[in-house]
Each structure stands twice: as structure tokens, then as C-alpha cells.
Amino acid sequence: MDFGLIAQYVANGILLGTMYALVAVGFTLFFGVLDVIKFSHGDVLMLGTFIGFTAWLGLEAIGVSNPWLQLLGILLCSLGATALIGAAIAKWLVLPLKNAPQLNTLLITLTLGTAIREAVRLFYPNGSNPKAFPALLPDAAIEIGNFSLRADSVILVLAGLGLIGLLNLVINRTRLGLAIRAVAQDEETARIMGINYTLVVLATFALGSGVAAFAGVMNGLYYNEINFGMGLILGLIGFSAAIVGGLGNLYGAILGGFLFAGLQTVGAALLPFASAYKDVFAFAVVIALMAWKPTGLIPERSSDRV
């Protein structure tokens, strides 16, 4: 096989892996702190992306044409609004069901995701059709044979990896991160030690939702298109990545995201009719991996949650 083509597949896989890891991290944070699986996570991501798109339309309307200012406005609006939405979901939907059967939480988050998705489809102007997301990053590229290194891809990967690194610092090197890890390890002891449990839960849901919104904006900037159903597949992939990596383990979520992207890349490179079967191949391998290691590649330890 052409080495340039192999390099192209690798580059694409790294970008996809970064996006998937950002989504998977949210599932791990939610489960680590509150032992819940928030099935509306992908649709909240989609809503945050549409909020960013709306912010861009507003900036265009008032005459702000600088692409970097537009990108900053998109990120601030998308991440900020999505973080607030995540905290609101935790406060008014998830925390009240803390002592209820887990199936209740699964059901309410699943139906919430459907409600968000259908609301965007029905009430956003022309919401059932894809939207052309603005191409705000440089479009220069280095061409080497069949390999094309796009400037926007490099920027997106560096930004995504930087956010993953920043999140790791927040979890492991800040007082908030210490509180999150304490609640994840032992809620009752954390309460006794004076940690504000409710505030930690709200901050965790805000953090996980904001990070997912960044992944949604990354997706829009790379493909230059968003649609009301984008959160469904991104959420499913992110959840699968978190499970196969080891639900409850931050590093497992990151590993799972890159693994899933790698499987898609391998499927696209080796299978006939690659674009049609790469997701089937990736999910089939994930099923096999879970049958082999039901606890995930990096099993959760009670002393090392999140």
C-alpha cells in the first residue's frame, strides 16, 4: 500500500480519536462521580454545536467578519451554554433521582436526548436539514504524494489534545479535581470532610458537557456541516469508547476513543466498500473486545475512579 495513503489514514484517525476521546471523557466523569450513564450526552453535544452555529450567525449579522473572533465567539457561546445545560440536567433531572433505580435515570436521560434532538429538528429554522458550518480555520495543506496534511486538521488535533491535557491537570492538580476524585471514591467520606457534594456534581456535569461541546465544534469545523442527528452517532461512539476503555477510568476513556478511531481507520483502509462498513467493523471488534474483557481495557479500581 502507498505510504502516503497510510499516513493519510493515520492522520485522519488521530483527529477522529481526539473527538471521540473528548466525548468519552464526559461519560466517564458522569459515571465516576454519580454512577449514572447520561444517554442524552450526545444530544447535548449537538445542542451546544447548534448554539455555536447560532452565535456565528449573530456575529455575521452584526458585521464581525474576522474568522478568529468568530471562532472565539462560537467556542465561548457553545462551551458556556452547554456547561450550563449540563449542570441544569444534573440539578433538576439526575440528582433528584439519585436514590431511585438506575433504570429510571437511564430512561429519563434517554428520553431527554430524544426531546432535545426532536426540538432542534422541529423548532430550529429549517432544522431538519444539514447546516453549512463555517470554515474558519486556515485551509492551507502540505501535499506529499497521496498524503495531504491540512492546517485545520493540525490545529484541531493540537487544540483537542491540549484540552485533554488541561482536563487531566484539572482532575489531578486542582482543588476541584481533588474534590471530584474524593466524591468518586467515597461520597459519604467526602461529605464528612466538608466537600459540597451537590456543587461537585454540578461542576462535573458542566465540565463533561463543555468538553463534549468542544468535540462537536471540532466536528463542525472539520466536516463543515452539522445536523440535528449528529449527536446520536457521536454519543454512541463516545459511550462505546468509554466502555471498551474502562468506564470510570479517565485514561481508559481516552484510550477507547483512539482505539475506536483506529478501528474505523483500519476498516476504511482494508475493507471493500470501506465508507459503508467501517462503523460495522469497528462496533463488531468492540463487541468482541467486551466479550474478552468485560471490565474494559483499563478496569476501574475503586481507589482510582476518574
Side-chain angles (χ1 to χ4, degrees):
M1 182 179 290
D2 189 306
F3 285 106
L5 192 57
I6 294 175
Q8 188 68 64
Y9 281 125
V10 171
N12 293 342
I14 292 173
L15 177 61
L16 290 175
T18 304
M19 284 193 289
Y20 297 160
L22 289 170
V23 182
V25 160
F27 282 105
T28 283
L29 287 173
F30 305 148
F31 183 81
V33 170
L34 209 57
D35 281 339
V36 301
I37 297 172
K38 179 168 162 277
F39 277 132
S40 60
H41 189 48
D43 293 299
V44 170
L45 174 157
M46 177 274 297
L47 181 59
T49 309
F50 269 77
I51 290 172
F53 177 71
T54 304
W56 173 75
L57 292 176
L59 291 171
E60 283 279 299
I62 63 176
V64 178
S65 59
N66 185 289
W68 295 109
L69 289 178
Q70 290 182 345
L71 181 57
L72 179 62
I74 288 173
L75 289 174
L76 288 177
C77 292
S78 178
L79 273 64
T82 309
L84 291 176
I85 292 169
I89 291 172
K91 181 174 179 60
W92 286 300
L93 292 180
V94 178
L95 278 175
L97 294 175
K98 183 178 182 299
N99 296 319
Q102 287 191 342
L103 284 177
N104 293 22
T105 305
L106 293 179
L107 177 61
I108 199 169
T109 58
L110 182 63
T111 53
L112 173 64
T114 302
I116 291 173
R117 187 165 61 253
E118 288 303 303
V120 170
R121 183 178 71 86
L122 293 173
F123 300 115
Y124 195 89
N126 204 21
S128 60
N129 295 327
K131 307 296 180 187
F133 203 83
L136 301 176
L137 296 175
D139 58 1
I142 298 175
E143 306 282 347
I144 305 175
N146 289 324
F147 175 62
S148 176
L149 183 62
R150 291 168 44 180
D152 59 346
S153 298
V154 174
I155 294 172
L156 289 173
V157 168
L158 291 178
L161 293 178
L163 184 58
I164 290 174
L166 180 61
L167 182 63
N168 183 60
L169 288 177
V170 168
I171 296 297
N172 293 298
R173 294 289 186 270
T174 67
R175 292 176 63 86
L176 173 61
L178 180 62
I180 290 174
R181 287 184 286 120
V183 169
Q185 182 174 337
D186 191 328
E187 173 195 331
E188 293 302 322
T189 302
R191 288 178 184 268
I192 292 172
M193 297 300 292
I195 292 175
N196 188 327
Y197 172 77
T198 300
L199 183 61
V200 168
V201 171
L202 297 185
T204 302
F205 273 68
L207 191 62
S209 299
V211 168
F214 188 89
V217 172
M218 280 182 65
N219 187 278
L221 289 170
Y222 183 70
Y223 292 109
N224 299 132
E225 182 180 284
I226 61 174
N227 63 79
F228 75 95
M230 62 182 288
L232 198 59
I233 185 63
L234 283 174
L236 180 58
I237 290 175
F239 178 60
S240 300
I243 291 291
V244 76
L247 191 60
N249 188 295
L250 185 66
Y251 302 110
I254 296 169
L255 174 62
F258 282 98
L259 174 63
F260 197 96
L263 292 173
Q264 284 185 316
T265 302
V266 170
L270 300 181
L271 295 179
F273 307 106
S275 60
Y277 293 118
K278 61 183 177 63
D279 288 341
V280 175
F281 173 74
F283 281 115
V285 175
V286 165
I287 292 170
L289 284 173
M290 293 312 302
W292 172 52
K293 287 185 70 68
T295 56
L297 298 177
I298 306 180
E300 174 197 355
R301 296 177 296 179
S302 60
S303 60
D304 191 35
R305 299 188 69 176
V306 178

